[in-house]
Amino acid sequence: MQLRYIFTELRQGLRRNVSMHIAVVLTLFVSLTLVGLGTLLAQQADRATEQWGNQLQITVYLCRDGDENPACQSEVTDPQLDQVVTTVADNPEVSGYQLESKAEAFEKVKELYGEETFSGPNPLLTEEDMAQSVRITLQDPNEFAGVTSAVTGLDGVSQVQDLRDSVGPILDSIDVLTIAAWGTAALLVAAALLLVANTIRLAAFARRKEIGIMRLVGASTLYIALPFLMEALVTAVIGVGLAAGALASFLKFGITDGVAQDLTFIPWVGWSEWGVAVVVVAVLGPALTLLPTLLLTRKYIKV
Amino acid sequence: MIRFEKVTKTYPGPGAPALDGVTVDIEKGEFVFLVGASGSGKSTALRLVLRETRPTSGRVYVAGKEINRLAGWKVPRLRRQIGTVFQDFRLLQNKNVSENVAFALQVIGKSRSEIRQVVPETLELVGLSGKGDRLPDELSGGEQQRVAIARAFVNRPMILIADEPTGNLDPTSSVEVMKLLERINQTGTTVVMATHDSGVVDHMRKRVVELGGGRLLRDQVEGGYGAAG
Ligand SMILES: Nc1ncnc2c1ncn2[C@@H]1O[C@H](COP(=O)(O)OP(=O)(O)OP(=O)(O)O)[C@@H](O)[C@H]1O
Ligand SMILES: [Mg+2]
């Protein structure tokens, strides 16, 4: 097979229909970026639920000296603590629980904000400012209401924090964004398909005489279709490349250097998740252009 | 070389069949005129040989193979053995004479060295040696048709099919084209030519197959255009 011929045809084909190809590339670029964005967000939601959904769902903060909660008269007493632990242990919804001491809580805070903040002569917080807590894991993360109400109001309990309360809205908005990205992507993918189909129709029409002669002299279908397939591949590769770049800058500037700086307690997606999104996009992009090309060239250049 | 067995072809839609139970056998190396009124089914018969279309019933054999049974991917191989010429030349206007002829070899994957050798030979055969660099619209109709014949013959096919090749030509050019087809026939290539050109048929005295309303009306060795000829 003469590669020179294929490349000449490819160059001519790309030039003949520049505006159409640009339209295809741009549509592909935007739709693939949205697909990739959806994939990133879905992975973000997964990472977040994995961490919060399985590790712990309810934290019971116990009273400490000088607690903001007026129900707390003093540091939690041992009988009060026993009462809380028994209540938690007897509850059938609980799969496990763990006591966290003031020291452990302090360690975690130091890890989160850096050792320096808490050392020196005038620290922001000391170990004494921390509260003891009971960290509860549930059988079913969705069944938190029973446990929450059982421990709320017990003596020595300052605050019951269900992670759904703080994290739920974040997860929900990630879900909404994911659906929005994928929904818009679906519309644009449809537009991309129509554009690809139209491009092929125009190209086949422009080349109908050549195609007629090629069929007549016995060129194989693949040979006839190859310039079309190459054109489709080139537009797809450009679209995928642009989308991968857009996703990379979204990750870098939007997440890693952006929200991740402010919301450190959330496990954010990183380059490996970007890789997954790019793989999805890199498979989808060529499929979006090559499949219609294969189908349509079969129709237009049927032997 | 070409054999029709009770071939019937009905196009979709109303109307009589374009071909109706036609049985014809054309031997290797023959020169056959296909004649008949407009709409009698000549082009349909040629299209069947190329497998541009398939018979509704009956069988078409080319080189011993029943071509309706041929898998789609083998059709190109069949067509490489058949050269085709039409009334309207079908040259690529943006390519010069040599490139038009070379195109037929390029697209079936022939090497550049082979193309460089065979194309000038074929142009010489059709008497266009000095005109390889001309564009089609810089040639007369007869010359354009000779380019088309060169393109059809450049791959040395076993069969040459011509559908009214002189239909657009003046008598002088027609005579030249016919001489060329005869020369190609003498190399052993089977030539089948559909035509309305009574002068050509009467002059050549070759086998004549006449169709009428899709039926075989006459199959005459050394025949003329009309039944009396
Ligand atoms: N693609 C088609 N679809 C439907 N009917 C067709 C088609 N091609 C040909 N026909 C019909 O089949 C019949 C035979 O047509 P065909 O072209 O074979 O005749 P012909 O002998 O070549 O005529 P002419 O001398 O005018 O070229 C005609 O009635 C024609 O209308
Ligand atoms: Mg005809």
Side-chain angles (χ1 to χ4, degrees):
Chain A
M1 196 162 284
Q2 294 211 336
L3 285 173
R4 255 164 57 101
Y5 161 77
I6 302 284
F7 282 115
T8 312
E9 281 297 321
L10 175 63
R11 212 174 41 238
Q12 277 175 7
L14 289 174
R15 205 169 340 150
R16 179 165 38 218
N17 234 328
V18 186
S19 56
M20 248 351 230
H21 286 306
I22 291 177
V24 171
V25 165
L26 290 180
T27 325
L28 268 181
F29 163 45
V30 179
S31 53
L32 291 177
T33 305
L34 284 171
V35 169
L37 213 54
T39 314
L40 275 180
L41 289 170
Q43 292 179 94
Q44 180 62 63
D46 278 355
R47 289 199 70 174
T49 13
E50 211 173 277
Q51 165 129 346
W52 296 321
N54 300 338
Q55 286 176 4
L56 79 167
Q57 289 100 22
I58 299 178
T59 308
V60 182
Y61 291 100
L62 300 169
C63 290
R64 62 185 166 86
D65 229 8
D67 206 293
E68 300 93 29
N69 189 342
C72 291
Q73 266 108 42
S74 65
E75 181 77 29
V76 64
T77 62
D78 284 349
Q80 287 172 341
L81 182 57
D82 281 348
Q83 176 62 36
V84 171
V85 168
T86 318
T87 310
V88 169
D90 288 350
N91 193 302
E93 298 288 350
V94 171
S95 81
Y97 65 93
Q98 219 184 348
L99 271 169
E100 193 177 277
S101 69
K102 286 171 171 301
E104 283 165 338
F106 193 52
E107 278 309 307
K108 275 196 186 167
V109 173
K110 281 203 285 195
E111 207 171 282
L112 209 55
Y113 294 103
E115 188 87 38
E116 324 67 78
T117 328
F118 307 102
S119 53
N122 192 13
L124 200 63
L125 282 171
T126 65
E127 191 178 316
E128 271 314 299
D129 296 320
M130 305 307 298
Q132 293 186 68
S133 60
V134 184
R135 315 213 140 206
I136 303 169
T137 324
L138 296 172
Q139 309 271 14
D140 177 353
N142 294 314
E143 297 296 329
F144 53 87
V147 183
T148 309
S149 64
V151 287
T152 310
L154 285 180
D155 285 343
V157 171
S158 163
Q159 210 190 101
V160 181
Q161 194 180 61
D162 167 22
L163 265 167
R164 303 271 135 176
D165 291 345
S166 52
V167 167
I170 299 179
L171 289 181
D172 285 349
S173 44
I174 293 179
D175 280 351
V176 168
L177 284 175
T178 309
I179 291 169
W182 274 341
T184 321
L187 292 179
L188 280 166
V189 160
L193 282 175
L194 291 175
L195 274 173
V196 168
N198 241 327
T199 312
I200 295 161
R201 225 177 32 175
L202 286 174
F205 186 75
R207 301 181 66 229
R208 66 194 182 287
K209 202 167 176 186
E210 269 137 301
I211 291 172
I213 293 166
M214 284 195 256
R215 293 177 49 212
L216 212 56
V217 300
S220 66
T221 312
L222 178 66
Y223 190 91
I224 301 175
L226 213 53
F228 291 93
L229 291 171
M230 300 278 286
E231 274 179 53
L233 195 63
V234 167
T235 49
V237 165
I238 298 174
V240 169
L242 290 174
L247 290 171
S249 42
F250 170 74
L251 182 68
K252 173 96 175 80
F253 302 113
I255 294 188
T256 313
D257 295 354
V259 283
Q261 300 290 320
D262 305 326
L263 303 172
T264 42
F265 66 96
I266 299 177
W268 291 99
V269 286
W271 290 107
S272 62
E273 284 78 12
W274 173 81
V276 172
V278 168
V279 167
V280 169
V281 162
V283 170
L284 187 65
L288 280 179
T289 59
L290 288 179
L291 289 182
T293 305
L294 273 175
L295 288 177
L296 285 176
T297 44
R298 272 173 68 89
K299 180 177 153 201
Y300 292 126
I301 65 183
K302 200 163 60 186
V303 289
Chain B
M1 182 64 29
I2 300 171
R3 182 172 160 74
F4 279 46
E5 261 178 30
K6 296 194 188 130
V7 172
T8 297
K9 172 69 191 180
T10 311
Y11 286 106
L19 280 182
D20 192 357
V22 172
T23 299
V24 174
D25 201 343
I26 295 171
E27 298 294 332
K28 180 167 164 46
E30 272 195 286
F31 195 121
V32 180
F33 284 116
L34 203 53
V35 302
S38 185
S40 58
K42 305 182 292 293
S43 297
T44 301
L46 298 183
R47 280 159 49 78
L48 283 167
V49 175
L50 285 165
R51 219 187 104 160
E52 288 261 8
T53 184
R54 296 195 200 209
T56 314
S57 68
R59 285 190 263 272
V60 179
Y61 295 89
V62 173
K65 289 210 186 67
E66 194 196 336
I67 60 169
N68 325 313
R69 297 248 199 103
L70 217 55
W73 62 272
K74 285 184 176 166
V75 171
R77 201 183 299 170
L78 166 77
R79 293 192 184 146
R80 288 175 198 192
Q81 301 174 338
I82 305 174
T84 320
V85 179
F86 296 95
Q87 183 172 359
D88 56 1
F89 320 140
R90 301 198 188 175
L91 300 175
L92 297 172
Q93 299 301 322
N94 57 345
K95 292 191 191 302
N96 68 28
V97 168
S98 293
E99 288 164 349
N100 263 287
V101 177
F103 185 73
L105 294 177
Q106 274 165 10
V107 301
I108 59 172
K110 294 286 188 211
S111 73
R112 283 212 283 160
S113 61
E114 181 173 353
I115 293 173
R116 248 198 310 265
Q117 187 192 340
V118 176
V119 170
E121 280 173 17
T122 311
L123 283 182
E124 176 155 16
L125 176 82
V126 302
L128 290 172
S129 271
K131 297 184 173 164
D133 295 335
R134 300 259 196 110
L135 289 173
D137 59 13
E138 297 165 352
L139 296 175
S140 74
E143 287 169 330
Q144 289 188 53
Q145 190 60 294
R146 272 152 43 204
V147 177
I149 292 171
R151 181 179 67 195
F153 189 62
V154 71
N155 193 30
R156 307 292 137 137
M158 306 184 304
I159 299 169
L160 189 82
I161 279 176
D163 197 350
E164 305 191 34
T166 59
N168 278 349
L169 304 181
D170 62 274
T172 324
S173 301
S174 295
V175 168
E176 281 177 2
V177 162
M178 291 318 296
K179 276 189 194 151
L180 184 53
L181 290 181
E182 193 164 28
R183 200 171 327 140
I184 283 172
N185 177 235
Q186 278 159 6
T187 66
T189 300
T190 309
V191 177
V192 182
M193 170 171 158
T195 186
H196 287 290
D197 196 331
S198 56
V200 161
V201 180
D202 288 338
H203 179 256
M204 299 271 289
R205 289 284 137 185
K206 299 286 188 186
R207 179 176 169 189
V208 174
V209 171
E210 184 175 348
L211 295 174
R215 289 172 181 278
L216 181 68
L217 295 186
R218 173 165 65 113
D219 186 350
Q220 186 180 8
V221 187
E222 294 188 13
Y225 185 76

